[in-house]
mmCIF file of all heavy atoms in Angstrom:
data_model
loop_
_atom_site.group_PDB
_atom_site.id
_atom_site.type_symbol
_atom_site.label_atom_id
_atom_site.label_comp_id
_atom_site.label_asym_id
_atom_site.label_seq_id
_atom_site.Cartn_x
_atom_site.Cartn_y
_atom_site.Cartn_z
ATOM 1 N N GLN Q 1 6.731 1.960 -9.392
ATOM 2 C CA GLN Q 1 6.079 0.680 -9.683
ATOM 3 C C GLN Q 1 6.083 -0.243 -8.472
ATOM 4 O O GLN Q 1 5.108 -0.962 -8.216
ATOM 5 C CB GLN Q 1 6.761 -0.015 -10.865
ATOM 6 C CG GLN Q 1 6.479 0.650 -12.206
ATOM 7 C CD GLN Q 1 7.055 -0.146 -13.365
ATOM 8 O OE1 GLN Q 1 7.988 -0.942 -13.199
ATOM 9 N NE2 GLN Q 1 6.513 0.053 -14.554
ATOM 10 N N GLU Q 2 7.179 -0.210 -7.712
ATOM 11 C CA GLU Q 2 7.249 -1.034 -6.509
ATOM 12 C C GLU Q 2 6.274 -0.528 -5.441
ATOM 13 O O GLU Q 2 5.657 -1.319 -4.723
ATOM 14 C CB GLU Q 2 8.682 -1.055 -5.964
ATOM 15 C CG GLU Q 2 9.674 -1.772 -6.857
ATOM 16 C CD GLU Q 2 9.343 -3.246 -6.981
ATOM 17 O OE1 GLU Q 2 9.706 -4.026 -6.098
ATOM 18 O OE2 GLU Q 2 8.682 -3.619 -7.984
ATOM 19 N N GLN Q 3 6.150 0.803 -5.327
ATOM 20 C CA GLN Q 3 5.174 1.359 -4.390
ATOM 21 C C GLN Q 3 3.754 0.929 -4.775
ATOM 22 O O GLN Q 3 2.941 0.599 -3.895
ATOM 23 C CB GLN Q 3 5.266 2.890 -4.363
ATOM 24 C CG GLN Q 3 6.589 3.453 -3.864
ATOM 25 C CD GLN Q 3 6.800 3.290 -2.366
ATOM 26 O OE1 GLN Q 3 5.897 2.881 -1.629
ATOM 27 N NE2 GLN Q 3 7.997 3.615 -1.900
ATOM 28 N N GLU Q 4 3.467 0.906 -6.056
ATOM 29 C CA GLU Q 4 2.151 0.468 -6.515
ATOM 30 C C GLU Q 4 1.944 -1.025 -6.254
ATOM 31 O O GLU Q 4 0.851 -1.454 -5.874
ATOM 32 C CB GLU Q 4 1.998 0.783 -8.002
ATOM 33 C CG GLU Q 4 1.921 2.280 -8.294
ATOM 34 C CD GLU Q 4 1.950 2.591 -9.777
ATOM 35 O OE1 GLU Q 4 2.171 1.651 -10.588
ATOM 36 O OE2 GLU Q 4 1.770 3.773 -10.135
ATOM 37 N N ARG Q 5 3.000 -1.801 -6.453
ATOM 38 C CA ARG Q 5 2.893 -3.246 -6.177
ATOM 39 C C ARG Q 5 2.662 -3.491 -4.687
ATOM 40 O O ARG Q 5 1.856 -4.356 -4.316
ATOM 41 C CB ARG Q 5 4.169 -3.960 -6.649
ATOM 42 C CG ARG Q 5 4.130 -5.478 -6.463
ATOM 43 C CD ARG Q 5 5.191 -6.157 -7.297
ATOM 44 N NE ARG Q 5 6.536 -5.892 -6.843
ATOM 45 C CZ ARG Q 5 7.223 -6.712 -6.028
ATOM 46 N NH1 ARG Q 5 6.657 -7.834 -5.582
ATOM 47 N NH2 ARG Q 5 8.457 -6.416 -5.675
ATOM 48 N N LEU Q 6 3.344 -2.720 -3.846
ATOM 49 C CA LEU Q 6 3.126 -2.837 -2.407
ATOM 50 C C LEU Q 6 1.690 -2.510 -2.050
ATOM 51 O O LEU Q 6 1.065 -3.196 -1.234
ATOM 52 C CB LEU Q 6 4.086 -1.913 -1.660
ATOM 53 C CG LEU Q 6 3.892 -1.787 -0.148
ATOM 54 C CD1 LEU Q 6 3.970 -3.146 0.542
ATOM 55 C CD2 LEU Q 6 4.934 -0.839 0.446
ATOM 56 N N LYS Q 7 1.132 -1.470 -2.655
ATOM 57 C CA LYS Q 7 -0.259 -1.104 -2.376
ATOM 58 C C LYS Q 7 -1.205 -2.225 -2.793
ATOM 59 O O LYS Q 7 -2.175 -2.531 -2.093
ATOM 60 C CB LYS Q 7 -0.594 0.198 -3.114
ATOM 61 C CG LYS Q 7 -1.894 0.846 -2.652
ATOM 62 C CD LYS Q 7 -3.090 0.370 -3.440
ATOM 63 C CE LYS Q 7 -4.372 1.029 -2.969
ATOM 64 N NZ LYS Q 7 -5.532 0.631 -3.814
ATOM 65 N N ASN Q 8 -0.929 -2.866 -3.934
ATOM 66 C CA ASN Q 8 -1.762 -3.986 -4.374
ATOM 67 C C ASN Q 8 -1.699 -5.153 -3.392
ATOM 68 O O ASN Q 8 -2.699 -5.820 -3.132
ATOM 69 C CB ASN Q 8 -1.345 -4.455 -5.767
ATOM 70 C CG ASN Q 8 -1.665 -3.435 -6.846
ATOM 71 O OD1 ASN Q 8 -2.587 -2.628 -6.690
ATOM 72 N ND2 ASN Q 8 -0.910 -3.458 -7.939
ATOM 73 N N VAL Q 9 -0.508 -5.384 -2.829
ATOM 74 C CA VAL Q 9 -0.361 -6.412 -1.799
ATOM 75 C C VAL Q 9 -1.192 -6.041 -0.571
ATOM 76 O O VAL Q 9 -1.886 -6.893 0.010
ATOM 77 C CB VAL Q 9 1.125 -6.591 -1.413
ATOM 78 C CG1 VAL Q 9 1.262 -7.473 -0.170
ATOM 79 C CG2 VAL Q 9 1.904 -7.199 -2.579
ATOM 80 N N CYS Q 10 -1.161 -4.774 -0.184
ATOM 81 C CA CYS Q 10 -1.961 -4.311 0.960
ATOM 82 C C CYS Q 10 -3.452 -4.522 0.704
ATOM 83 O O CYS Q 10 -4.201 -4.904 1.618
ATOM 84 C CB CYS Q 10 -1.682 -2.838 1.249
ATOM 85 S SG CYS Q 10 -0.052 -2.523 1.953
ATOM 86 N N ASP Q 11 -3.888 -4.278 -0.521
ATOM 87 C CA ASP Q 11 -5.299 -4.502 -0.862
ATOM 88 C C ASP Q 11 -5.681 -5.972 -0.670
ATOM 89 O O ASP Q 11 -6.723 -6.288 -0.091
ATOM 90 C CB ASP Q 11 -5.565 -4.102 -2.315
ATOM 91 C CG ASP Q 11 -5.605 -2.596 -2.513
ATOM 92 O OD1 ASP Q 11 -5.672 -1.855 -1.520
ATOM 93 O OD2 ASP Q 11 -5.569 -2.168 -3.686
ATOM 94 N N ARG Q 12 -4.832 -6.868 -1.154
ATOM 95 C CA ARG Q 12 -5.126 -8.304 -1.032
ATOM 96 C C ARG Q 12 -5.121 -8.743 0.426
ATOM 97 O O ARG Q 12 -5.970 -9.549 0.849
ATOM 98 C CB ARG Q 12 -4.120 -9.119 -1.847
ATOM 99 C CG ARG Q 12 -4.215 -8.887 -3.349
ATOM 100 C CD ARG Q 12 -3.553 -10.011 -4.134
ATOM 101 N NE ARG Q 12 -2.134 -10.134 -3.839
ATOM 102 C CZ ARG Q 12 -1.178 -9.484 -4.497
ATOM 103 N NH1 ARG Q 12 -1.503 -8.644 -5.477
ATOM 104 N NH2 ARG Q 12 0.089 -9.664 -4.202
ATOM 105 N N LEU Q 13 -4.173 -8.239 1.202
ATOM 106 C CA LEU Q 13 -4.102 -8.609 2.612
ATOM 107 C C LEU Q 13 -5.315 -8.073 3.374
ATOM 108 O O LEU Q 13 -5.841 -8.744 4.280
ATOM 109 C CB LEU Q 13 -2.811 -8.084 3.235
ATOM 110 C CG LEU Q 13 -1.501 -8.682 2.709
ATOM 111 C CD1 LEU Q 13 -0.310 -8.071 3.441
ATOM 112 C CD2 LEU Q 13 -1.485 -10.191 2.847
ATOM 113 N N THR Q 14 -5.753 -6.880 3.026
ATOM 114 C CA THR Q 14 -6.937 -6.299 3.668
ATOM 115 C C THR Q 14 -8.166 -7.161 3.405
ATOM 116 O O THR Q 14 -8.960 -7.432 4.318
ATOM 117 C CB THR Q 14 -7.163 -4.861 3.147
ATOM 118 O OG1 THR Q 14 -6.026 -4.059 3.487
ATOM 119 C CG2 THR Q 14 -8.409 -4.239 3.768
ATOM 120 N N GLU Q 15 -8.328 -7.591 2.166
ATOM 121 C CA GLU Q 15 -9.455 -8.460 1.812
ATOM 122 C C GLU Q 15 -9.381 -9.793 2.558
ATOM 123 O O GLU Q 15 -10.408 -10.415 2.847
ATOM 124 C CB GLU Q 15 -9.462 -8.705 0.300
ATOM 125 C CG GLU Q 15 -9.791 -7.454 -0.515
ATOM 126 C CD GLU Q 15 -9.561 -7.647 -2.001
ATOM 127 O OE1 GLU Q 15 -9.210 -8.788 -2.404
ATOM 128 O OE2 GLU Q 15 -9.712 -6.672 -2.760
ATOM 129 N N LYS Q 16 -8.171 -10.199 2.900
ATOM 130 C CA LYS Q 16 -7.975 -11.476 3.592
ATOM 131 C C LYS Q 16 -8.165 -11.357 5.093
ATOM 132 O O LYS Q 16 -8.205 -12.369 5.801
ATOM 133 C CB LYS Q 16 -6.556 -11.985 3.275
ATOM 134 C CG LYS Q 16 -6.329 -13.455 3.564
ATOM 135 C CD LYS Q 16 -4.992 -13.902 3.000
ATOM 136 C CE LYS Q 16 -4.807 -15.410 3.171
ATOM 137 N NZ LYS Q 16 -3.566 -15.908 2.544
ATOM 138 N N GLY Q 17 -8.272 -10.131 5.603
ATOM 139 C CA GLY Q 17 -8.457 -9.947 7.046
ATOM 140 C C GLY Q 17 -7.156 -9.843 7.818
ATOM 141 O O GLY Q 17 -7.107 -10.143 9.014
ATOM 142 N N VAL Q 18 -6.103 -9.397 7.142
ATOM 143 C CA VAL Q 18 -4.797 -9.196 7.780
ATOM 144 C C VAL Q 18 -4.682 -7.733 8.205
ATOM 145 O O VAL Q 18 -5.006 -6.826 7.436
ATOM 146 C CB VAL Q 18 -3.657 -9.569 6.818
ATOM 147 C CG1 VAL Q 18 -2.304 -9.203 7.414
ATOM 148 C CG2 VAL Q 18 -3.702 -11.056 6.477
ATOM 149 N N HIS Q 19 -4.199 -7.493 9.422
ATOM 150 C CA HIS Q 19 -4.034 -6.136 9.942
ATOM 151 C C HIS Q 19 -2.719 -5.548 9.445
ATOM 152 O O HIS Q 19 -1.670 -6.194 9.548
ATOM 153 C CB HIS Q 19 -4.045 -6.139 11.469
ATOM 154 C CG HIS Q 19 -5.291 -6.715 12.050
ATOM 155 N ND1 HIS Q 19 -6.453 -5.990 12.216
ATOM 156 C CD2 HIS Q 19 -5.577 -7.973 12.492
ATOM 157 C CE1 HIS Q 19 -7.385 -6.749 12.742
ATOM 158 N NE2 HIS Q 19 -6.883 -7.964 12.917
ATOM 159 N N ILE Q 20 -2.774 -4.316 8.942
ATOM 160 C CA ILE Q 20 -1.596 -3.679 8.346
ATOM 161 C C ILE Q 20 -1.343 -2.312 8.972
ATOM 162 O O ILE Q 20 -2.276 -1.546 9.218
ATOM 163 C CB ILE Q 20 -1.788 -3.481 6.821
ATOM 164 C CG1 ILE Q 20 -1.856 -4.827 6.093
ATOM 165 C CG2 ILE Q 20 -0.662 -2.634 6.235
ATOM 166 C CD1 ILE Q 20 -2.273 -4.694 4.648
ATOM 167 N N LEU Q 21 -0.067 -2.037 9.226
ATOM 168 C CA LEU Q 21 0.401 -0.685 9.507
ATOM 169 C C LEU Q 21 1.576 -0.440 8.575
ATOM 170 O O LEU Q 21 2.457 -1.299 8.448
ATOM 171 C CB LEU Q 21 0.827 -0.514 10.960
ATOM 172 C CG LEU Q 21 1.263 0.904 11.357
ATOM 173 C CD1 LEU Q 21 0.085 1.869 11.278
ATOM 174 C CD2 LEU Q 21 1.849 0.920 12.769
ATOM 175 N N LEU Q 22 1.577 0.716 7.911
ATOM 176 C CA LEU Q 22 2.599 1.013 6.914
ATOM 177 C C LEU Q 22 3.157 2.414 7.136
ATOM 178 O O LEU Q 22 2.419 3.348 7.446
ATOM 179 C CB LEU Q 22 1.999 0.907 5.501
ATOM 180 C CG LEU Q 22 2.902 1.172 4.298
ATOM 181 C CD1 LEU Q 22 2.546 0.237 3.147
ATOM 182 C CD2 LEU Q 22 2.797 2.625 3.822
ATOM 183 N N SER Q 23 4.472 2.560 6.997
ATOM 184 C CA SER Q 23 5.138 3.858 7.075
ATOM 185 C C SER Q 23 5.571 4.282 5.676
ATOM 186 O O SER Q 23 5.995 3.442 4.879
ATOM 187 C CB SER Q 23 6.385 3.793 7.962
ATOM 188 O OG SER Q 23 6.059 3.477 9.289
ATOM 189 N N ASN Q 24 5.487 5.599 5.416
ATOM 190 C CA ASN Q 24 6.004 6.099 4.148
ATOM 191 C C ASN Q 24 6.131 7.614 4.232
ATOM 192 O O ASN Q 24 5.757 8.216 5.241
ATOM 193 C CB ASN Q 24 5.114 5.696 2.973
ATOM 194 C CG ASN Q 24 5.925 5.349 1.727
ATOM 195 O OD1 ASN Q 24 6.798 6.102 1.317
ATOM 196 N ND2 ASN Q 24 5.636 4.195 1.134
ATOM 197 N N SER Q 25 6.667 8.206 3.183
ATOM 198 C CA SER Q 25 6.794 9.659 3.144
ATOM 199 C C SER Q 25 5.433 10.280 2.856
ATOM 200 O O SER Q 25 4.556 9.646 2.254
ATOM 201 C CB SER Q 25 7.799 10.077 2.069
ATOM 202 O OG SER Q 25 7.428 9.556 0.809
ATOM 203 N N GLU Q 26 5.264 11.508 3.303
ATOM 204 C CA GLU Q 26 4.026 12.218 3.024
ATOM 205 C C GLU Q 26 4.187 12.950 1.702
ATOM 206 O O GLU Q 26 4.775 14.026 1.628
ATOM 207 C CB GLU Q 26 3.675 13.202 4.135
ATOM 208 C CG GLU Q 26 2.343 13.874 3.908
ATOM 209 C CD GLU Q 26 1.729 14.450 5.164
ATOM 210 O OE1 GLU Q 26 2.461 14.653 6.150
ATOM 211 O OE2 GLU Q 26 0.508 14.681 5.168
ATOM 212 N N CYS Q 27 3.665 12.320 0.667
ATOM 213 C CA CYS Q 27 3.785 12.899 -0.672
ATOM 214 C C CYS Q 27 2.546 12.544 -1.480
ATOM 215 O O CYS Q 27 1.731 11.700 -1.082
ATOM 216 C CB CYS Q 27 5.045 12.407 -1.376
ATOM 217 S SG CYS Q 27 5.078 10.632 -1.677
ATOM 218 N N GLU Q 28 2.396 13.182 -2.617
ATOM 219 C CA GLU Q 28 1.201 13.017 -3.442
ATOM 220 C C GLU Q 28 0.997 11.570 -3.868
ATOM 221 O O GLU Q 28 -0.124 11.047 -3.836
ATOM 222 C CB GLU Q 28 1.298 13.924 -4.671
ATOM 223 C CG GLU Q 28 0.055 13.910 -5.540
ATOM 224 C CD GLU Q 28 0.162 14.866 -6.720
ATOM 225 O OE1 GLU Q 28 1.189 15.574 -6.804
ATOM 226 O OE2 GLU Q 28 -0.767 14.890 -7.538
ATOM 227 N N LEU Q 29 2.065 10.896 -4.270
ATOM 228 C CA LEU Q 29 1.953 9.517 -4.732
ATOM 229 C C LEU Q 29 1.337 8.623 -3.667
ATOM 230 O O LEU Q 29 0.398 7.862 -3.934
ATOM 231 C CB LEU Q 29 3.337 8.977 -5.126
ATOM 232 C CG LEU Q 29 3.412 7.472 -5.408
ATOM 233 C CD1 LEU Q 29 2.567 7.094 -6.618
ATOM 234 C CD2 LEU Q 29 4.867 7.033 -5.600
ATOM 235 N N ILE Q 30 1.865 8.699 -2.445
ATOM 236 C CA ILE Q 30 1.398 7.814 -1.374
ATOM 237 C C ILE Q 30 -0.039 8.164 -0.978
ATOM 238 O O ILE Q 30 -0.885 7.270 -0.778
ATOM 239 C CB ILE Q 30 2.344 7.894 -0.164
ATOM 240 C CG1 ILE Q 30 3.741 7.411 -0.571
ATOM 241 C CG2 ILE Q 30 1.801 7.068 0.996
ATOM 242 C CD1 ILE Q 30 3.796 6.010 -1.156
ATOM 243 N N ARG Q 31 -0.346 9.446 -0.882
ATOM 244 C CA ARG Q 31 -1.717 9.842 -0.530
ATOM 245 C C ARG Q 31 -2.717 9.400 -1.595
ATOM 246 O O ARG Q 31 -3.842 9.008 -1.279
ATOM 247 C CB ARG Q 31 -1.805 11.352 -0.293
ATOM 248 C CG ARG Q 31 -1.206 11.762 1.054
ATOM 249 C CD ARG Q 31 -1.647 13.144 1.490
ATOM 250 N NE ARG Q 31 -1.285 13.389 2.889
ATOM 251 C CZ ARG Q 31 -2.046 13.076 3.914
ATOM 252 N NH1 ARG Q 31 -3.221 12.475 3.709
ATOM 253 N NH2 ARG Q 31 -1.657 13.337 5.148
ATOM 254 N N GLU Q 32 -2.328 9.426 -2.854
ATOM 255 C CA GLU Q 32 -3.221 8.968 -3.918
ATOM 256 C C GLU Q 32 -3.397 7.453 -3.880
ATOM 257 O O GLU Q 32 -4.511 6.938 -4.049
ATOM 258 C CB GLU Q 32 -2.667 9.396 -5.281
ATOM 259 C CG GLU Q 32 -2.851 10.880 -5.578
ATOM 260 C CD GLU Q 32 -2.352 11.250 -6.963
ATOM 261 O OE1 GLU Q 32 -1.826 10.343 -7.660
ATOM 262 O OE2 GLU Q 32 -2.481 12.422 -7.334
#
C-alpha cells in the first residue's frame, strides 16, 4: 500500500512538472 501511495505521489509530481528519479527492486509489483 505504501508503494502504491508513493507511485500516486510520483504521478502528482509529474503532472506538476517536478523531475523524479526513483530506486527500487526489480519485481513485478514495481514494473506494474
